[in-house]
Amino acid sequence: MTEKAVSVPPVQQRRSLIGGQATEFVISHYSDRLFVLVTQTGKLSTLLHAVPDRTDTEALENFSVTPLLGDRDCLKLQLIARQVVQHICQFSTKPLLLGLGLSSKPTLDQVKQLIAVLKEMLTPVGRTQPSR
């Protein structure tokens, strides 16, 4: 009997201080999607699915974010997902699965810090982040 080879997706990890709190970032690159986990609690409390809404003629300006688990009303969490998927679309067509486990609702400054770390981690080596 032959054994089927199992491939492990590439994973990136980082720890940063966000709002004075240790925050773990884990990114798993699967063949059909990107899974991003951001946690301050060691747990996942909100899971969001984000994809670009596009047709062949449209620019990548509209994005759908669907809460799959947890807080469905926090617009700041959806903002994080929209910003991250918009950044990913510059380099990849994969949808985003974003898991968040934050110790409290983030402030706008913390949202900006989270997005900056994720954009830095998700920018391919040798490419620079476009300025907006």
Side-chain angles (χ1 to χ4, degrees):
M1 180 186 291
T2 61
E3 290 185 33
K4 191 174 186 178
V6 177
S7 69
V8 177
V11 175
Q12 295 171 264
Q13 292 182 304
R14 178 181 292 180
R15 178 182 285 200
S16 295
L17 283 179
I18 303 293
Q21 205 160 12
T23 306
E24 300 287 333
F25 295 84
V26 179
I27 300 174
S28 297
H29 298 264
Y30 291 94
S31 61
D32 64 339
R33 73 189 65 245
L34 212 55
F35 176 65
V36 175
L37 174 63
V38 179
T39 184
Q40 295 172 327
T41 63
K43 299 176 185 175
L44 180 133
S45 60
T46 301
L47 187 62
L48 302 164
H49 183 253
V51 294
D53 294 331
R54 64 172 122 178
T55 64
D56 292 337
T57 59
E58 289 181 357
L60 297 174
E61 295 180 2
N62 297 317
F63 304 92
S64 293
V65 176
T66 306
L68 301 176
L69 175 74
D71 192 344
R72 297 178 179 274
D73 299 322
C74 184
L75 295 178
K76 290 178 184 171
L77 300 181
Q78 293 184 28
L79 172 65
I80 294 169
R82 286 181 195 281
Q83 289 290 309
V84 172
V85 77
Q86 181 178 11
H87 182 73
I88 291 168
C89 284
Q90 299 170 44
F91 312 110
S92 172
T93 58
K94 293 180 184 179
L96 170 69
L97 194 58
L98 176 63
L100 297 163
L102 305 178
S103 60
S104 61
K105 295 215 185 232
T107 66
L108 191 53
D109 186 52
Q110 291 168 339
V111 168
K112 289 177 183 178
Q113 290 175 32
L114 288 168
I115 291 169
V117 170
L118 289 170
K119 283 183 175 182
E120 182 181 323
M121 290 178 74
L122 289 165
T123 300
V125 175
R127 304 246 341 229
T128 57
Q129 293 185 39
S131 56
R132 294 195 174 240

